[in-house]
Amino acid sequence: MAEPGVTQRLAAAGAAFTDPPAEGTVSTEPGALDAAGTRSPLSGLLGPAGGPVTFEERPFVGKLTLRGDPSNADFMAAAGKVLGTDIPTDPCRFVEHDGFRVHWIGFDNWLIHVPEGAEGPLKTKLEAALEGIHSAIVDVSDYYTVIRVQGAKARRLLQKGCPIDLHPRTFGPGQCAGTVFHHAAIFLAQTDADTDGGASYDIQIRWSFARYLWDYFVDGAREWGG
Amino acid sequence: MLTIKCPWCGEREQIEFTAGGEAHIARPENTAELSDEEWGAYIYTRTNPKGVHYERWVHSHGCGKWFNAVRHTVTDIFWDVYKIGEEKPAVPEDWDGATTRAQYQAATQKTAAPDGNEK
Amino acid sequence: MTKYSIFSLIRNALSYHENWQKAWRSPDPKPAYDVVIVGGGGHGLATAYYLAKECGITNVAVIEKGWLGGGNTGRNTTIVRSNYLWDESAALYDHAIKLWETMSQDLNYNVMFSQRGLLHLAHNVHDMQEIGRRGHAIKLNGIDSEFLSPAQVKEMVPIINLNCRYPVMGALLQRRGGTARHDAVAWGYARACDAMGVDIIQNCAVTGFEIEDGTVKAVETTRGRIGAGKVGVVTAGHSSVMAEMAGFRMPLESFPLQAFVSEPLKPVIDCVIMSNAIHAYISQSDKGELVIGGSGDPYISYSQRGSFDQVEHVAGPVLELYPVFSRVRMMRQWGGITDVTVDRSPILTKTPVGNMYFNCGWGTGGFKATPGSGHVFAHSIAKGEMHPIAAPFSMDRFNTGALIDEAAAAAVAH
Amino acid sequence: MSQSYRIEGKGRIDRSKPIRFTWNGRSYQGYQGDTLASALLANGVRLVGRSFKYHRPRGIMTAGSEEPNAVVQLEEGARTEPNTRATMAELYDGLTANAQNCWPSVEFDVGALNAKLSRFFPAGFYYKTFMWPAALWEPLYEKIIRRAAGMGESPEEIDPDSYAQHFAHCDVLIAGGGPAGLSAALAAGRTGARVILADEGAEFGGSLLADTVEIAGKPAADWIAETVAELTAMPEVTLLPRTTVSAYYDHNFLTLTERVTDHMGPRADDSVPRQRFWKVRAKQTILAQGAIERPLLFADNDRPGVMLASAARTYINRYGVLPGREIVVFTGNDSAYPAALDAKAAGARVEIVDLRTDPKGPLVDHARAQGIEIHAGCGITGTRGTKALHGCDVAPLSEDGKSLADEPFSIGCDCIAVAGGWNPTVHLHSQARGKLSWDDTKQCFVPGYCQWPTRSAGAGNGTFDLAGCLDEGLKAGAAAAHEAGFGKGAAPEAPAVELSEEGPARQVWIVPSDVPLGHGKKHFHDHQNDVTAADIHLAAREGYVSVEHLKRYTTTGMGTDQGKTSNVNALAVMADIRNARIPEVGTTTFRPPYVPTTFGAIGGQNRRHLFLQERTTPMHAAHVANGAVFEDVGDWKRPWYFPRDGEDMHEAVQRECRQARETCGLLDASTLGKIDIQGPDAAWFLNMMYTNKWDTLAVGKGRYGVMLNEHGMVIDDGVTTRLAENHFHMTTTTGGAARVLGMLEEWLQTEWPERQVYCTSVTEQWAVCTITGPNAKALMADLTDDIDVDPANFPFLAYRTGTVAGAPARVYRISFTGDLAYEVNVPARHGLAVWTTILERGRKHGLVQYGTETMHVLRAEKGFIIVGQDTDGTVTPMDLGMNWIVSKKKDDFIGKRSHSRSDTAREGRKQLVGIMTEDPNVVLPEGAHLVNQPGKPPIAMEGHVTSSYMSPNVGRSIALGLIKGGRDRIGDTLHAPMMDGKTVHKVTLTEPVFFDKEGKRTNG
């Protein structure tokens, strides 16, 4: 914890920390720290309220990358035991269990999303369980942030920059993929499908690209009154 | 823009990949014993064929994995993709690159089967 | 060869232009020639031209598998400059510019070489260091070179957006740089060669080389065997294919490179403008089209066609540097095959095969060198010794490590 | 004269919605549903432009995007748009357009002088002249040429409209929404396949919109309406009107340009994009773009009033406009007869000039029955009228069609509707690498084999009768859907249409006139570029016979219409000259796009702040608030320097440099690349990637390393720390972050897959605050209570974990300044707070925040290199005087072998040295070159200055450079000539260390 005094001063000085808002954004950006003295890359930015597509940052989701050899039964067993679920071996799928989400990134590479703060303990548990097994667990919670995009036009918005076919016939809930949105490398996961033909996606994006992606979404949503 | 089949993720757009040049150029073990010519050939000389090319790609914005592919450099049609360490697939002499592997095999089977029974 | 001039034009106008002669003959190949040049592009034709004009070798054939100038000669963005970093490059490319400056008169064919100036923009500190280094080197090599301030850039190119994503911090100007009419270069050389007795043989593809105890004796073609005292191979993107026929390999890879033109507009850009950081290079032709160059596709391909990626990669930068073009239309896109070396410098060289010479590896920037390349290559073939300007570009530099690394030095590769 | 050419009760325009528009400054009225072209014709405006070369008066020739003549400057000011086809511009209220390429006006154009001198400007004339005197080329000749260059004018203001891009995937993409396209969509759509149907026009229906035919016993319009209604109801079918399929790339990737709001005119609100650029990956495509009618090549065939018969019919039936009151239909086939009949029915006086000696069949009989005079076996041998057509000469032709059989006679007319046959629109097929084959009976190119999954249907496939189009469309749709995995491939029954049987056609490629070709009269085939049959004869005469030479020499087909109406006629003329069949002459490859596409559309949203990301560190907000001036480093925005009240860059940097050495300084080093490396083979791997040894490194300690490529040249450097036996934390340069990780992965995956190493980028996980200087220790002590920061216990290159400024931190004793320094890494979320806290606590320790410029000066004082500035990819560690870092014990590492190549091993390579100017106040420009003796260029250069600064701590200017044999020339005097060609600075080569040579300060 940073000393409270500092935090409060920063919060008060908030306005002073505002970036010049990029042209075309509807964002307001206090840019101040939260009570914990921390700050996420999209802190203070507001997406379109309501409308056919909405998006918001999900700051500080706990994120671990897990590396290991899927053909090593010990590894699969040990990791699965800690996570309470078999880690997915089907490409571009994720499984959810007890607040954990385990995404397949590559054949020997998984991305684990957990509630804020749970990453540390989980990392420790995994390291203990995988002692002596060639593997790697790295905390990347602050490397990336997550933007949740949902609504009837969520798919249309993503297809403005993402080349993957997100049509329900080829991409649905439980599927994830590393891909791009124009210049930004993203990792997207479809969390569920709405009745109104829309869907909900979590987009994981690098800290330093988050603002670019956000501004793109803001600009892209304008034609639907976003 | 090509579509490239990542052996793990399946068909994706080229913008998710990075080209890695000619495949199956193994780094010499005994670099110290090589002549300048041998070493130069290893770093610089390439087959650069007008036709069947064994090449490397990496799904850099996808799963991040390297793999090999066989592509015809005139038609830009892929014959096959395969994982690192897998056997280099043989390509029939008479494949002119103007058909996919499936089309080629369908055609050859057709000619093979006198009753003209397809599939 | 009837001389072209305003007078011959008027004279012929009176006879309804019905008495013009063929610009060049279309002879059948003779059984043998002193020198056979493989490849009827600018470099090949220039080589034949100087063999005949300066080396007294007129028993020469230029064989071309398609139509003259149909390769990169007719597909490039016609930029001519000599502001290269390394001494070896500067010598070669400036040798070329000097020949460009008198080419129309030498050939009696207007190749419209126009030295309207060429700008390299610098958008960040690294760019500034790069043009600073190149600018000084060029100057000390006796080649014209100036630094411009952003204000001076704006003066030369009023429609430019200095305050773009990477603001323009300065520029390197070569006033002697510019453009030329690419097709005319091939046609002009062909006509002049023909007049000196060189046989220009189109639609004649090489199918193999006849090599006896390590020395080339003849070229096998779709129009039969053609005996050859010496062979000069100038086939750009297809050099690896030729080398394979001759039994050796080259340090080359062939990549597609693309170019674009807009619909014709009343002139708004006079000089050539190149930018690395915001990757687009642009000029405006005498017909009014914006001529725009992109970067190459990242994979080997012999398909001479445009791919989509480059369209997008070019449109963004163009709009960033010249936002006023947003409502202007892109009219045509095409591709060429560039033979690229690892050091982005050409290869002018003897080969493992006796009497066989290669001139290749020009990558994305061969057009500007056309006359110089042909000139030194012709002298090398004639003497059997590489011309001093050509010598550093021989292929054994890839064994000794004596690369001429324009790529590493981050000079523009176009 | 208000719309005096309108036909009562005809057309699909909405007469209840009159629209005012302005043409050449004059106000006119049209209707909703008009194009600019139809509205101009309705108002009797014929002269709409001037040709490119001769400035001949030109009128509207077509009713589509193939228009070569009616190309106008749309709107003015910020929204002005050059070269817009009047035939495609939908009329909206207040539309303003002007004629192009004429001065002072389209009526009286000075440039028309060229027409008078035209005989002196044959094809390629400029190659033959303007060469003497050479000195005059640029100042005079080229200036004249450039003045004549171009057509429309570029906008000079920023485009106020917005654009968008969109990726789409479908099972079947159909280009063209005419009878064939609509049928294809229907058949494919019914299978449930994902279908995209795109059509250039505002309405679907294509040629049917101009036809009077009945389908299944109902007017075609009804069939269109029903079909569109059914398609609209299909959830997986996307209908895109006003959308041109502009390009067909490899692997069935196509781009579409949708004109979303163009037809509404300028709009204040730009939230809806003006144009949308679709990037479509289609499993199957169906090309149903129809066919374009061929003009006939006859003498002076370019007068305003000469138009395609199909266009004439379109204006009559679709727009309710009579293209003329006295119409001569000039044809060699039956397809023009309906136009004649419709014109007659609309009240025009109509005569038909038919090349065929004995035209037969129902259409011909019908025409006769309507009292239309048919001049059989005749051709038009000349036309009269300059700014508007008012008559033509007609004569019987000889049997071979090459000469006149009799004296010409005159017919008064204000419109000639020409019908020279049809060219299937094979552009997309050809773009897709599809082959073309020549159909002798149809006299046109038709699609052949294509390596990509595509089909052509309808007129675009050479099937010109309506019944055939509908049937082919349905079959193609069903088959394409089937191959994409939908339906059984069986096509629905085609609706009945009464067959209007057509008689055989007669093709006369060049209609003779009373004078030889090129003697006065002009047979234009390329109207926009003014290329005539005589020009092709000239080209042939001079040997430019290959199609590509022909095109380039005469500029045929190089205009904005890309030769849609001219190419085949040009080939025919060449074939005639060479006595060859057209396919023997060859065909040109069609290049994308099908019709020109705005850069705006292609760019989409990727403009302005979305052109390229601006990457910033977690502390960015603080830097902005603290008045930092930013430097672009790659796509990062890094603080360059922090000017205080009124300081310029130099003053700020001098202050930062001095203070950082005197007390302490703070740098945001977050952008440095960071890679987590784990595994039993990690140390072995580092041994291969770096030149020095890593297996010997103690846990908890770091080491500096340089990385080479296989050429043996330095490509990156940084400190790597051993966190545990099999666990390393590597740092790279900012620019190298991605490249280095990519290289590590490439080697691991492709060369050593059996090695057990995992690499993970953690660059942005950590915010990095570097604290340096004599007071760094004291400041650190104020920031942490669980790390012993005393250098005695926390040695150089060691690392510790603990809490700094309230955040969990990894602290590395790394120094890029040579002073005592601590690199504080905290999770990014804490970056801003920690940074501000450090600034806060630093105050009493005299802390100064500094940017990249000061960082560069401080490292240069110590002779530390910057990869990419002091190296350029041609520099070995030995060249840098770093022999010590190249392990002699290791038998291999990446790049090692290259060092023993003759040139890489030779003496006298460029080596890193220090450079001192004689005058301590002179700061050499970076990039300046050194010479042994100044003189007149060319001068031999010894090397160049890579880094150069004014150093307040050394008290003079300092520089680093790469100099030939430099290590052996320390102490030598050289010279640095400046760009002005006059100034020369005397310099001395020194050791590349200027400050704290003994390195005492590293531990404070």
Side-chain angles (χ1 to χ4, degrees), chain D residues 203-217:
Chain D
E203 303 181 82
F204 288 98
S207 59
L208 292 175
L209 297 170
D211 211 326
T212 52
V213 71
E214 292 200 333
I215 299 177

Side-chain angles (χ1 to χ4, degrees), chain D residues 501-547:
Chain D
E501 177 163 336
E502 294 201 357
R506 180 188 187 189
Q507 197 72 51
V508 176
W509 291 104
I510 307 170
V511 181
S513 81
D514 51 340
V515 292
L517 200 65
H519 290 226
K521 296 185 175 178
K522 288 186 156 48
H523 290 60
F524 287 99
H525 61 277
D526 185 323
H527 288 242
Q528 186 173 106
N529 282 351
D530 284 329
V531 194
T532 67
D535 290 320
I536 297 177
H537 277 264
L538 173 60
R541 199 170 293 131
E542 298 192 85
Y544 303 93
V545 288
S546 112
V547 178

